[in-house]
C-alpha cells in the first residue's frame, strides 16, 4: 500500500473508529454469535491477487464487528476495564506507523529513552520511591512469569548458569493464596517449580492472605528440607479485589529470605489517588511489582509495567549479548531486551506517554475517583435491597453480589444466579462476569469502563433487579 | 479524548505517518543521538493538567523522530527487515481502536476466529499440511520459550503436574548449533534446563548443523545417564542464513524421541515461494515451528506465528481454567490463552489478514523474489571485486561480506572491518550490522526492506567500496 493510499484509507479507518466509539453504546455488549459463525463467512483460502480496501471494510462491518464483545461499551462490567483512551490509541497508531523496533538502544534510541521517562512518570504518579525501575511488558502473566524466574535464580544463586533448576538439591517452593490470579499458578508451573511445590496459603474472611499462615507454611517447608523461594501477594484479587497485607507479608518474606512479587495488575492504577495508598502499605519492601496501565488507567492494550528494585539481577537473568546486537553505546544505555522475555519490542511508551499528557494526572485521578464513588453507590443500593447481598468488602470498583431469596441455597442458588446473569448478558444490555466465591457462584460487577457514568450503573442495577426478580 | 477530537487528531496522525513514510528515505538511517539526548529534552515529572494534542505533535517531530533508527528506510540493511506494510498498519489501527481483548473465545469471538482463519491462510501459503495448527505470539523469543517448555513437559510426561523440573531424576538436555539465535539459549535457560545441559552441536563449513554430530551427542548423553529432550534447528540462521538440514535432523529426533523445534523466524517467509521450499525439506516432521510475518513478509510488528502438530499437548501445558474465565461455549471453541504465555491478547489477526488481502499471495511472492534477486546481484558484484569476499552461501537475502586487502588479517582486519562499517552507519547513507563469523568480524547485508529496490542495493555497494577503500 502506498503512502497516498494509506492516507485515504487511514482517514476512513480513523472515521470508522470515531463512529464506532461514538455509537458503541447502542450495540449489545456481548457478541451474539455462535461458535463458527464468523469463520464460515470467510474464505478458507487466501486471495491470490490483491483485493481493494473497500472489500475489506465491507467485511469488517458485516462480519467482524457483529462478532465482537465491546470492551469500550459504557455498560461493560465484565472481567476488568480495559480502557483504550483515544489519546493512547493515537500513541499506538504512531508506534505501528513508525515501525521501529527496540532490539537495543541503538536500534531506536527514542524508543528506549521515552520508555524510561514514561515509566518513571508512572512511578511518580504511584508515589513509589526512586529505588524502583520499570519496564513495559505485554501482560501481567508475562511479568509474573519473569518475576518467578527471577526469584528462582535468586534463591539458587543463578542455577541457570549451572545445571538449571533440575540440578538443585532441595525443592524450591512458591506461596500464594487461593484468591491469586490463575497466571500465578501458570507462571510457577511454567518456571518449572511444579504443582507439588506451590503452597496455597489460607486467607481470612475478607479473602486476604494470612501472613501468619504464610509464616507457618514456610517454617513447615524449611523443617521438611525444602527451600522457600517466592511469595506472590495480590493487591486487588480478581474475584473480589481483596488486598493481601503487603507490610506483614513483606516482614515474613524478609525474615525468611523470600522474593516478594506483588500482583497489582488491576488495582495498582488506583494508587494514583493518595487515599487508596494505605491499601498497599509496605509496597516499598517488595522485590517486584506489576501494574497494568492497559486496564483501568486507559492505556491501549498491551501495556503492563513491571517494576523491580534490583534491575541488575533482572538483567543478569534475562540478558543475551550476541555479536550482532552489540554496539558502542552498550555500557552507557539500557537495553530493555535484557529486562524481559522478547528480543523485539514495540514503541509501547508512546501510548502511555500520550495518555498521561492528554489527561494529565488530575484527569486520570478524577476518573478513578468517579469509579470508586459509583461502586460505593451501587454497594449501598444492593445492601439496602433484600434479598440482595454484597459478599465481600468493596475496596475499589468491584462488587461481588448475589440475589439470595429465602429458601434458595446450594445448587439451586447457583442455578438461579447463573440464570439471571445469563439473561442479562444475552440481552446485550450489560455484561457481567459470574465467578465462584467460597464454592458458590456469584456475580462480579466490575465498574470502570472509561465511559461508564452513574446513569449506566443505575441502569445496570435496574436490569439486575428485573432479571433476578423474574 | 472524545471521538470527535480523535477524528481530527487521528487524521493528523495518519497524515504524519503518510508523510513520514514518503520522506523516510531522505533521513539518515541510523539515529544521530548520544545516550541521554532524548531523555534530557523531556520533563522529568508528569503533567498535572491535560496538555493540548498539538504540544505532543511538536515534541514528536522535534524530539522523538530525530531519535529513531528508521527500519522502514529503503537503505536499512541491518538486523533483519521488519516491514510494516501500510495495509497491515491499518489492520493494527483497527485492533487498537476497537480495543477488544481475547481472554477467551466469548470475550470477542471474531478475534479468535479471524486468527484461526488468517493463520490457516498463512499455513497454506507456506505449503504446510493441514496437520499444523497455528497461533499468533508476540515474538520468536516467546514462541521458542513455549516450544522448549512443551518439550520439557513431553519428555518428563508433565512434570509440572508433579514436582516440576526440579523433581526429575535425570538431567534433560537441549541441542542447538552455535549458529542458532541467542533466543534459543535464553529460552533453554529460562525454562530451567541450565547452561550445563545445553549442547552446542558442531556445524559444517556452510554453518549448518551436522546431523551426524547431533546423533553422536545424543548417544553420549544417553550413555552418561542424561535424558535428551529437544533439538532446535534453524532455517536461516541470524548471522549467515544457513539452513540446518531438517530432514536429517528430524530422523535423529524421531529415532531418539526428541522434540524438534524449528526456528524459521526470518527465513520462513521465503517459503511462500515454491522454489525456496527445498531448503526446509523435512519440515513436516518437526513438532513446532516459528515464523515471524512481522519480519520480511510485511505484517506490522508484533506478529509471530507459532505452529504445532499437537495442539492438545500445547493446551495441556499452558491451560488455566478459573471460574471467571469459563463460558458455555468452552467445549466447542479455541481459547487461545491456552496456546501461549499471556492471558490477555490483542486482535493481532487483523494485521495479517489485511496484509494478505491487500497484497494477495502473488504480490507477496513477487516482493520476496525481488529481494532474492537483489541479493544474488550484490553477491555477484562482491565476488567479482577483489579484495572483497562473500563468506557464506547466499541462500536467501543476506550476505556476509568482508573487504580483505592483502596482508591484513587478525585483529587488524577486525579493526578495518569495524572502521568502514562504522563510517557507513554514521554517514546515515545506509545501515549494516557487523557480526562475528568464525571468530572474525564481518558485515551482514540483510536485503529486504519493503522499499529497497535494485537502485538502493547499487547505491549501498558504491558506498561500501568508497568507505572500505579509504
Amino acid at each position: 500500500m502506498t503512502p497516498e493510499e494509506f492516507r485515504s484509507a487511514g482517514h476512513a479507518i480513523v472515521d470508522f473508529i470515531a463512529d464506532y466509539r461514538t455509537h458503541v453504546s447502542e450495540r449489545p455488549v456481548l457478541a451474539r454469535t455462535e461458535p463458527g459463525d464468523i469463520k464460515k463467512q470467510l474464505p478458507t483460502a487466501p486471495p491470490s491477487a490483491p483485493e481493494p480496501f473497500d472489500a475489506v471494510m465491507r467485511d469488517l462491518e458485516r462480519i467482524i464487528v457483529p462478532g465482537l464483545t465491546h470492551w469500550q461499551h459504557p455498560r461493560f462490567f465484565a472481567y476488568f476495564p480495559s480502557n483504550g483512551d483515544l489519546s493512547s490509541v493515537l500513541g499506538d497508531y504512531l508506534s505501528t506507523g513508525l515501525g521501529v523496533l527496540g532490539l537495543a538502544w541503538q536500534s531506536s534510541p527514542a524508543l528506549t529513552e521515552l520508555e524510561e521517562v514514561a515509566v518513571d512518570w508512572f512511578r511518580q504518579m504511584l508515589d513509589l520511591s526512586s529505588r524502583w525501575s520499570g519496564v513495559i511488558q505485554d501482560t501481567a502473566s508475562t511479568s509474573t512469569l519473569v518475576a518467578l524466574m527471577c526469584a528462582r535464580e535468586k534463591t539458587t544463586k543463578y542455577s541457570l548458569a549451572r545445571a538449571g533448576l533440575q540440578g538443585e538439591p532441595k525443592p524450591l517452593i512458591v506461596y500464594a493464596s487461593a484468591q491469586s490470579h490463575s497466571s500465578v499458578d501458570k507462571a510457577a508451573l511454567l518456571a518449572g517449580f511444579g504443582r507439588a511445590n506451590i503452597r496455597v496459603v489460607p486467607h481470612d474472611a475478607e479473602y486476604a492472605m494470612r501472613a501468619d499462615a504464610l509464616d507457618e507454611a514456610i517454617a513447615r517447608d524449611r523443617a521438611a528440607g525444602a527451600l522457600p523461594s517466592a511469595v506472590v501477594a495480590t493487591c486487588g484479587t480478581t474475584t473480589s479485589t481483596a488486598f493481601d497485607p503487603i507490610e506483614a507479608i513483606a516482614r515474613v518474606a524478609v525474615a525468611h529470605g523470600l522474593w516478594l512479587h506483588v500482583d497489582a495488575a488491576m488495582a495498582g492504577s488506583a494508587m494514583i489517588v493518595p487515599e487508596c495508598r494505605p491499601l498497599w502499605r509496605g509496597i516499598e519492601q517488595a522485590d517486584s511489582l506489576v501494574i497494568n496501565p492497559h486496564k483501568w488507567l486507559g492505556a491501549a492494550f498491551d501495556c503492563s509495567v513491571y517494576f523491580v528494585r534490583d534491575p541488575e539481577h533482572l538483567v543478569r537473568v534475562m540478558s543475551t549479548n550476541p555479536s550482532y546486537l552489540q554496539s558502542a553505546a552498550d555500557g552507557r544505555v539500557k537495553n530493555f531486551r535484557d529486562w524481559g522475555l522478547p528480543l523485539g519490542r514495540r514503541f509501547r511508551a508512546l501510548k502511555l506517554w500520550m495518555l498521561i499528557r492528554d489527561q494529565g494526572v488530575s484527569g486520570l485521578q478524577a476518573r478513578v475517583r468517579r469509579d470508586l464513588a459509583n461502586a460505593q453507590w451501587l454497594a449501598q443500593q444492593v445492601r439496602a435491597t433484600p434479598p440482595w447481598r454484597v459478599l465481600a468488602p468493596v475496596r475499589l470498583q468491584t462488587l461481588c453480589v448475589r440475589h439470595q431469596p429465602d429458601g434458595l441455597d446450594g445448587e439451586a442458588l447457583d442455578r438461579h444466579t447463573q440464570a439471571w446473569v445469563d439473561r442479562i448478558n444475552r440481552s446485550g444490555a450489560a455484561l457481567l462476569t459470574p465467578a465462584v466465591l467460597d464454592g458458590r457462584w456469584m456475580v462480579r460487577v466490575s465498574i470502570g469502563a472509561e465511559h461508564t457514568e452513574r446513569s449506566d450503573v443505575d441502569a445496570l442495577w435496574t436490569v439486575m433487579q428485573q432479571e433476578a426478580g423474574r
Side-chain angles (χ1 to χ4, degrees), chain A:
Chain A
M1 180 175 274
T2 68
E4 291 314 309
E5 288 165 346
F6 169 81
R7 195 186 302 271
S8 137
H11 286 195
I13 293 275
V14 166
D15 289 340
F16 175 86
I17 295 297
D19 293 342
Y20 170 79
R21 293 286 187 111
T22 302
H23 297 289
V24 67
S25 63
E26 300 159 21
R27 297 179 183 273
V29 191
L30 180 68
R32 289 174 173 159
T33 178
E34 289 299 307
D37 277 357
I38 313 293
K39 257 190 296 192
K40 71 184 175 209
Q41 297 177 73
L42 297 166
T44 55
S48 171
E51 293 187 69
F53 176 72
D54 290 350
V56 177
M57 287 303 282
R58 274 195 304 275
D59 287 351
L60 189 72
E61 305 206 19
R62 191 174 58 88
I63 304 172
I64 303 299
V65 173
L68 300 179
T69 296
H70 303 286
W71 287 66
Q72 307 305 317
H73 197 297
R75 289 189 303 281
F76 181 93
F77 300 101
Y79 309 115
F80 51 84
S82 180
N83 296 321
D85 182 273
L86 288 166
S87 62
S88 182
V89 168
L90 291 180
D92 210 45
Y93 283 10
L94 282 170
S95 169
T96 309
L98 293 170
V100 299
L101 255 66
L103 304 188
W105 175 86
Q106 192 192 34
S107 75
S108 255
L111 186 156
T112 296
E113 296 197 13
L114 189 69
E115 186 161 332
E116 293 182 64
V117 169
V119 166
D120 199 66
W121 282 10
F122 188 48
R123 175 191 67 72
Q124 295 172 58
M125 290 162 66
L126 300 163
D127 198 34
L128 292 172
S129 78
S130 61
R131 297 188 310 157
W132 293 93
S133 305
V135 61
I136 303 179
Q137 313 275 9
D138 60 347
T139 63
S141 302
T142 302
S143 296
T144 295
L145 177 59
V146 167
L148 289 186
M149 287 169 166
C150 286
R152 185 186 80 190
E153 297 307 318
K154 182 86 170 221
T155 304
T156 62
K157 299 189 175 66
Y158 305 99
S159 66
L160 53 65
R162 302 186 308 274
L165 189 53
Q166 45 186 348
E168 291 306 296
K170 293 180 174 185
L172 272 63
I173 314 289
V174 175
Y175 304 81
S177 91
Q179 299 294 319
S180 71
H181 189 259
S182 58
S183 60
V184 176
D185 254 30
K186 182 167 175 172
L189 297 178
L190 293 182
F193 289 93
R195 176 71 63 193
N197 300 311
I198 303 176
R199 297 286 175 269
V200 179
V201 182
H203 53 74
D204 64 20
E206 297 188 336
Y207 310 102
M209 185 191 287
R210 281 177 39 207
D212 61 328
L214 171 67
D215 197 39
E216 286 162 21
I218 292 171
R220 261 198 310 277
D221 283 321
R222 277 210 192 288
L227 208 50
S229 176
V231 52
V232 180
T234 308
C235 284
T237 59
T238 306
T239 303
S240 74
T241 316
F243 281 76
D244 292 343
I246 304 299
E247 194 164 34
I249 290 171
R251 239 182 336 254
V252 175
V254 168
H256 294 281
L258 269 70
W259 184 280
L260 171 55
H261 174 62
V262 174
D263 173 3
M266 166 64 203
S269 293
M271 305 308 164
I272 67 168
V273 299
E275 59 268 33
C276 288
R277 291 180 197 147
L279 288 168
W280 74 355
R281 187 173 288 128
I283 192 66
E284 289 288 331
Q285 305 309 312
D287 295 286
S288 55
L289 166 64
V290 58
I291 303 177
N292 291 353
H294 70 225
K295 290 193 160 95
W296 196 5
L297 195 74
F301 187 89
D302 45 4
C303 183
S304 172
V305 178
Y306 179 62
F307 286 106
V308 290
R309 284 239 316 269
D310 182 358
E312 277 181 36
H313 175 68
L314 175 60
V315 168
R316 191 161 161 191
V317 175
M318 296 284 150
S319 73
T320 55
N321 197 25
S323 65
Y324 47 82
L325 290 175
Q326 294 166 16
S327 89
D330 280 351
R332 296 175 292 153
V333 296
K334 284 188 181 166
N335 282 318
F336 278 133
R337 68 169 183 270
D338 297 334
W339 290 55
L341 306 179
L343 168 57
R345 310 180 77 248
R346 281 171 66 86
F347 199 162
R348 287 199 185 100
L350 283 166
K351 55 188 173 188
L352 183 57
W353 184 63
M354 286 179 68
L355 171 73
I356 297 171
R357 295 188 67 173
D358 181 74
Q359 305 279 300
V361 177
S362 58
L364 294 168
Q365 287 173 327
R367 186 154 52 72
V368 165
R369 288 185 173 122
R370 175 200 67 179
D371 298 336
L372 295 173
N374 281 340
Q376 289 303 329
W377 177 85
L378 181 59
Q380 276 175 350
Q381 313 307 309
V382 174
R383 286 194 188 105
T385 314
W388 286 90
R389 290 186 56 201
V390 177
L391 304 169
V394 181
R395 301 280 185 223
L396 295 177
Q397 47 56 265
T398 300
L399 285 80
C400 296
V401 301
R402 203 183 283 137
H403 180 258
Q404 208 158 326
D406 279 350
L408 210 56
D409 57 13
E411 290 183 12
L413 180 58
D414 277 351
R415 279 193 300 274
H416 173 67
T417 303
Q418 288 182 311
W420 70 256
V421 72
D422 196 48
R423 280 196 295 272
I424 293 176
N425 289 349
R426 281 175 189 276
S427 79
L431 190 64
L432 298 163
T433 303
V436 172
L437 189 69
D438 291 332
R440 282 269 89 82
W441 286 91
M442 55 89 201
V443 176
R444 282 172 77 256
V445 183
S446 172
I447 297 171
E450 187 179 3
H451 296 289
T452 300
E453 299 293 345
R454 177 68 55 87
S455 57
D456 299 295
V457 182
D458 199 351
L460 169 71
W461 175 224
T462 301
V463 76
M464 283 167 64
Q465 292 176 92
Q466 281 167 357
E467 294 300 338
R470 275 212 206 176

